[in-house]
Amino acid sequence: MRLNRAFYDLVGASVLWGTIGIAVQEAYRVGANSFGIVLFRTLFSCLILLYGGNRKILLRWESAVMGIITGAFYEIYAFTIILDGAPLSSFLLYTAPLFVILFSFVLFREELSLRKVMGSVIVIVALYLDYLGTPTPVELIWGILSGMSYAALISFSKFLQLRGFSGWDVLSAQSVWSLPLSLVVILPFSRSVSLGSVAGGLYMAVLGTIIPYYLFYRGIKIMDSAIATVISALEPVVTTLLAYPLLGQILTPLQILSATLILASSIWLSVSR
C-alpha cells in the first residue's frame, strides 16, 4: 500500500480546517460574532493574497467566476450553520463528493466510477451516524445547497488549474473576488467590531483559508476531485477529536465508528494501485 504526496497535502488541509470550530468557539468567548469573523476572514485573506497574487491572472474572467462561487459558498454555508446548527450543517456539507463527481465530469470529463460513489456514500453515512437526526425540508434544502456550492468551488478550482492557473492563483482569485459579495451580504449584519472578530478572522484567514486551501489545491491538482473531497471529510473528525481534550466533550461509540469509517474510506480511495 502506498499513499502519494497529494494524500498528505489533503490530510494537512483537513487537520487545519478541523481546528476552525474550536478557534471560532474561543473567539465567541471574547465577543466575536459569526458575521464579523467571516468579514475579517475575507478581508485579511484578500489583503494578503492581493499583495502576493498575479495581477494579470486576477483580471481574467475565470478568476471573477471563482470569486463569485467562493463568495456564494461562504454565505450559504454561514447561513446554513445559523439555520441548521453545526452538526447538521457539517453532515450536509459533505454531500459535496457526490456533486463533485457530477460537476467534474461535466467540466473536464473526470472519470465516473462506482468506487468513488461508494466512497462518497460511506462518508455521508458516517457523518449521519455523528448527527442522527431528522432535518426539516428547509434545513435539508439549505444544507444540500451548501454541499453543492462547496462542490462547485472544488470542481472549478481544478478546472482552473487544468487551464494553467497555479494553486496560489486560484487561492488569490477566490479571496480577492469574493470580497465584494462578502461586504454586501455580511457588513449590514456584522455588529460593532470586536477584538474577538478580528482575532477570529485573522486565524481563519491564515490557518483556515490561505494555508489549508493552498495544500488542498496542491493535492487536488494531482488527485481525483471526488477522492480529494472525501479526504477533506476528515475535517469534522479532527474537530470531534480536538473537542475531547480541549472542550471536555466525550466521544460516543457512534462518533468513534464515524471517524473510523471516514478514515478507512479516505485511505481506500487514495491508495495507489
Side-chain angles (χ1 to χ4, degrees), residues 11-267:
V11 169
S14 300
V15 169
L16 288 174
W17 281 328
T19 67
I20 288 175
I22 307 297
V24 167
Q25 288 196 41
E26 291 301 313
Y28 284 162
R29 291 183 183 180
V30 288
N33 65 81
S34 57
F35 288 109
I37 290 175
V38 174
L39 175 64
F40 284 108
R41 172 192 191 176
T42 309
L43 181 60
F44 286 134
S45 298
C46 178
L47 291 175
I48 294 170
L49 292 164
L50 184 60
Y51 176 76
N54 185 324
R55 308 295 168 82
K56 291 183 179 179
I57 288 287
L58 286 174
L59 293 176
R60 290 173 55 170
W61 69 266
E62 298 100 320
S63 296
V65 172
M66 184 66 193
I68 292 170
I69 292 173
T70 303
F73 165 61
Y74 284 168
E75 311 313 333
I76 291 171
Y77 189 50
F79 180 75
T80 303
I81 292 174
I82 295 170
L83 178 67
D84 293 4
L88 177 57
S89 60
S90 178
F91 157 54
L92 291 173
L93 176 67
Y94 284 101
T95 58
L98 294 175
F99 295 113
V100 167
I101 293 172
L102 175 61
F103 293 161
S104 297
F105 176 75
V106 171
L107 281 172
F108 43 86
R109 293 296 185 268
E110 196 164 67
E111 177 195 11
L112 291 171
S113 72
L114 179 61
R115 186 168 176 250
K116 291 194 292 188
V117 173
M118 288 176 61
S120 302
V121 171
I122 289 172
V123 166
I124 293 171
V125 171
L127 288 169
Y128 181 74
L129 291 176
D130 212 5
Y131 168 62
L132 285 181
T134 305
T136 67
V138 173
E139 291 173 338
L140 184 62
I141 289 170
W142 278 99
I144 290 176
L145 283 174
S146 70
M148 290 180 65
S149 59
Y150 184 42
L153 182 151
I154 291 168
S155 299
F156 198 73
S157 72
K158 184 158 186 176
F159 174 72
L160 291 185
Q161 293 194 77
L162 293 174
R163 291 176 66 89
F165 281 57
S166 68
W168 191 258
D169 292 333
V170 177
L171 186 54
S172 300
Q174 81 172 52
S175 296
V176 172
W177 284 104
S178 66
L179 181 60
L181 182 59
S182 296
L183 290 175
V184 169
V185 175
I186 294 177
L187 196 57
F189 296 98
S190 59
R191 297 188 291 271
S192 58
V193 175
S194 68
L195 179 61
S197 292
V198 174
L202 181 60
Y203 183 94
M204 291 279 282
V206 178
L207 295 176
T209 301
I210 295 174
I211 297 176
Y213 270 110
Y214 177 76
L215 291 174
F216 183 81
Y217 291 148
R218 191 170 71 173
I220 202 174
K221 184 175 183 178
I222 59 175
M223 183 174 279
D224 183 278
S225 304
I227 295 175
T229 314
V230 168
I231 296 172
S232 72
L234 288 168
E235 173 193 345
V237 174
V238 173
T239 302
T240 301
L241 294 176
L242 288 176
Y244 174 66
L246 297 178
L247 302 179
Q249 297 178 4
I250 304 301
L251 293 176
T252 67
L254 284 178
Q255 286 177 321
I256 295 172
L257 175 60
S258 172
T260 303
L261 286 173
I262 293 172
L263 181 59
S265 179
S266 300
I267 294 175

